[in-house]
Structures are given as structure tokens and as C-alpha cells.
């Protein structure tokens, strides 16, 4: 299943847990694995705190401190070297166990899409086996 995510800012976090949970529900399996994969080189997916979404803003700020803009070789190609590096650090996928037909996320965990070079129309591929 392919989800569509429209981002609105250069860097942004979007909670996609409801959409991923819906894919898992419709797969109708009791136990298995759910893979959430972002087919982009300047975006990522992470699992983290959902109750206080300031954590998402903090994540973006932390990445900004670690990876400054405009100082990379790739910036001579298309000016988004920092976004590629941040994406590589976070990674393109997460795998979540499915138990009793539902994502076995912890109480405070959500599946979060991370835009690092938006705004863009993005895809998220979700497979359940
Ligand atoms: Zn690039």
C-alpha cells in the first residue's frame, strides 16, 4: 500500500500513525510485521513520542545543529546536501511488530514522517506480512 503525504514546510514532522494503523487493520492479519518505508533521499521515518509533538521540533533543531546548511559538496549539485545527510542519519524505514491485528507500538510511540527538503508531495510505502 502506498500512502501519500503532502508536506508544507522545508522541515516538518507529520504523525502518520493513523494511516499506517489503517493499512494494518485492512491487512487483517493477527501477527506479523509492518514495514514503513520512505522512497526518498531527503525524507525519513522515525518512531518517537506522540504526546508532546515538540519532540518533533526538537528533533529538527538537533539535526540542524549537527548538520549545518550550505557547506557540503552536494550543495554545488542541487543545494540540499544537509537534507540528504539528515535523511541518511535517520534512515528510510521502520519495522513494527503486529500483534493481535494491531501495531505493537508503546503508549508514547508514534510513526512519524520527517520532511527534510519540502514542501513536496511524498510517498510512504507500507507493507504488512
Ligand atoms: Zn540533492
Amino acid at each position: 500500500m502506498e500512502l501519500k503525504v503532502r508536506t508544507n514546510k522545508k522541515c516538518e514532522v507529520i504523525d502518520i500513525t493513523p494511516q499506517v494503523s489503517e493499512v494494518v487493520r485492512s491487512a487483517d492479519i493477527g501477527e506479523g510485521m509492518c514495514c514503513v518505508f520512505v522512497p526518498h533521499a531527503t525524507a525519513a521515518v522515525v518512531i518517537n513520542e506522540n504526546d508532546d509533538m515538540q519532540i518533533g521540533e526538537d528533533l529538527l533543531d538537533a539535526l540542524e545543529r549537527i548538520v549545518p546548511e550550505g557547506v557540503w559538496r552536494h550543495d554545488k549539485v542541487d543545494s540540499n546536501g544537509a537534507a540528504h545527510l539528515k535523511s541518511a542519519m535517520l534512515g528510510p524505514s521502520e519495522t513494527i511488530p503486529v500483534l493481535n491485528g494491531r501495531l505493537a507500538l508503546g503508549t508514547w510511540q508514534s510513526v512519524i514522517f520527517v520532511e527534510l527538503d519540502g514542501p513536496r508531495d511524498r510517498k510512504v510505502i507500507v507493507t504488512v506480512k
Side-chain angles (χ1 to χ4, degrees):
M1 168 74 79
E2 188 177 291
L3 304 175
K4 298 203 182 311
V5 178
R6 164 164 273 282
T7 63
N8 299 300
K9 298 181 190 166
K10 179 165 173 55
C11 294
E12 182 177 11
V13 294
I14 298 174
D15 186 347
I16 57 169
T17 311
Q19 295 94 314
V20 176
S21 296
E22 187 50 43
V23 174
V24 170
R25 257 193 299 274
S26 59
D28 199 27
I29 63 161
E31 196 170 310
M33 299 295 270
C34 174
C35 178
V36 181
F37 178 77
V38 173
H40 302 291
T42 55
V45 63
V46 299
I47 294 176
N48 214 286
E49 163 98 28
N50 55 6
D51 188 51
D52 177 10
M53 282 305 280
Q54 291 183 103
I55 289 290
E57 299 296 315
D58 285 342
L59 173 64
L60 296 175
D61 287 351
L63 290 169
E64 187 75 40
R65 287 186 199 181
I66 297 165
V67 185
E69 294 276 342
V71 297
W72 308 105
R73 292 172 187 84
H74 182 76
D75 291 326
K76 295 185 182 76
V77 179
D78 65 357
S79 306
N80 64 357
H84 286 289
L85 295 172
K86 293 173 186 176
S87 167
M89 290 165 72
L90 297 180
S93 70
E94 293 284 356
T95 305
I96 307 148
V98 176
L99 290 176
N100 302 316
R102 310 183 73 168
L103 290 172
L105 290 167
T107 305
W108 307 110
Q109 289 181 314
S110 269
V111 183
I112 300 169
F113 179 90
V114 185
E115 175 61 80
L116 298 161
D117 193 30
R120 297 189 194 218
D121 288 318
R122 299 295 203 172
K123 295 178 207 167
V124 178
I125 297 168
V126 182
T127 57
V128 185
K129 287 283 182 221

